[in-house]
Amino acid sequence: MCSSDLGQMSAVGIRQFEVGRALATHCDVTFASTAATNDESHGIPIVACRSRADFRSLLNRNDVLYTLGLNSDRFLDVVKSGIRVVLDIYTPLAYEILESFPETPTPLLARMHRRIVRWTNAQLLQADFVACTNEKQRDMWLGVLNAIGRLTPAQTRDNPDCRELIDVASFGLPEQPPVRNGHPLRDRFSAIGPEDFVLLWS
């Protein structure tokens, strides 16, 4: 399950959508969306998941949950269901929060940081498999997994590089290269000349 017009999705949504499309070539995939929809995209069903009951129903009908993180209620439902969990930790929130709130008083930021670290670790302990976006991230998360006890001597002896537990899934873009179908920026903004270099920054 994953949490579709790409132009209206956040980076998180685009990553989930593209990972789901890639997985759909190997298994049945359902996109779960908080929008009120029962539709499909690229042949993949999209179902509404607006309540805890919706979420529990999806857990009962699927074998694996692919998620970028859960709130506490849904996390408890996942634990009780016994469903296998792929946790995508492409956003290291414990680091991000240190830079995202420069005006927040230090004691409050420290409490927020501790809460995120505890919550991230709880989900890492529950995950059957972990995905991140690059080798540098993977090195960092290996350290975290070791610190919380997920790396065991038996596991590392059988799988020394630990890629059966954590591996890299690049950010998530379509495999097909983009095709130019006009000049929307240059047509709309006359100040951008035909030879001007345009950098798109998220």
Side-chain angles (χ1 to χ4, degrees):
M1 295 187 294
C2 303
S3 297
S4 126
D5 182 14
L6 287 180
Q8 297 180 352
M9 283 195 286
S10 66
V12 169
I14 292 170
R15 177 169 172 83
Q16 289 183 297
F17 180 70
E18 292 299 338
V19 168
R21 285 181 61 191
L23 290 173
T25 64
H26 305 284
C27 58
D28 294 330
V29 171
T30 299
F31 290 120
S33 172
T34 54
T37 182
N38 282 286
D39 203 349
E40 68 173 43
S41 179
H42 297 266
I44 302 172
I46 307 170
V47 299
C49 185
R50 300 185 59 126
S51 68
R52 195 169 178 184
D54 290 342
F55 184 66
R56 288 172 171 170
S57 176
L58 282 167
L59 292 177
N60 291 333
R61 300 198 318 260
N62 290 273
D63 301 309
V64 179
L65 170 68
Y66 171 91
T67 179
L68 280 85
L70 299 160
N71 63 29
S72 56
D73 286 344
R74 292 188 174 185
F75 180 72
L76 291 173
D77 289 336
V78 166
V79 173
K80 291 175 183 176
S81 74
I83 194 171
R84 288 172 288 174
V85 177
V86 176
L87 179 64
D88 190 336
I89 46 177
Y90 99 104
T91 302
L93 293 177
Y95 286 95
E96 188 174 89
I97 195 173
L98 298 176
E99 297 294 330
S100 298
F101 301 94
E103 305 303 321
T104 302
T106 300
L108 175 58
L109 187 60
R111 288 197 298 274
M112 293 166 62
H113 183 258
R114 285 194 298 271
R115 184 177 302 162
I116 287 173
V117 169
R118 285 197 302 268
W119 189 234
T120 300
N121 290 348
Q123 293 184 87
L124 287 169
L125 285 167
Q126 182 65 27
D128 296 282
F129 182 77
V130 179
C132 58
T133 54
N134 57 56
E135 293 295 336
K136 189 169 185 178
Q137 261 198 4
R138 184 175 179 276
D139 289 342
M140 178 197 74
W141 288 117
L142 276 170
V144 173
L145 289 164
N146 188 44
I148 65 174
R150 279 302 307 271
L151 302 188
T152 64
Q155 182 184 54
T156 53
R157 185 168 291 136
D158 295 338
N159 179 223
D161 61 6
C162 300
R163 291 195 185 270
E164 291 183 5
L165 174 61
I166 178 170
D167 210 345
V168 172
S170 59
F171 174 74
L173 292 173
E175 288 186 320
Q176 300 77 17
V179 177
R180 175 178 288 176
N181 59 1
H183 304 87
L185 281 177
R186 299 181 202 281
D187 292 345
R188 183 172 177 185
F189 301 102
S190 59
I192 303 176
E195 302 301 324
D196 289 345
F197 176 78
V198 177
L199 173 66
L200 180 62
W201 183 256
S202 174

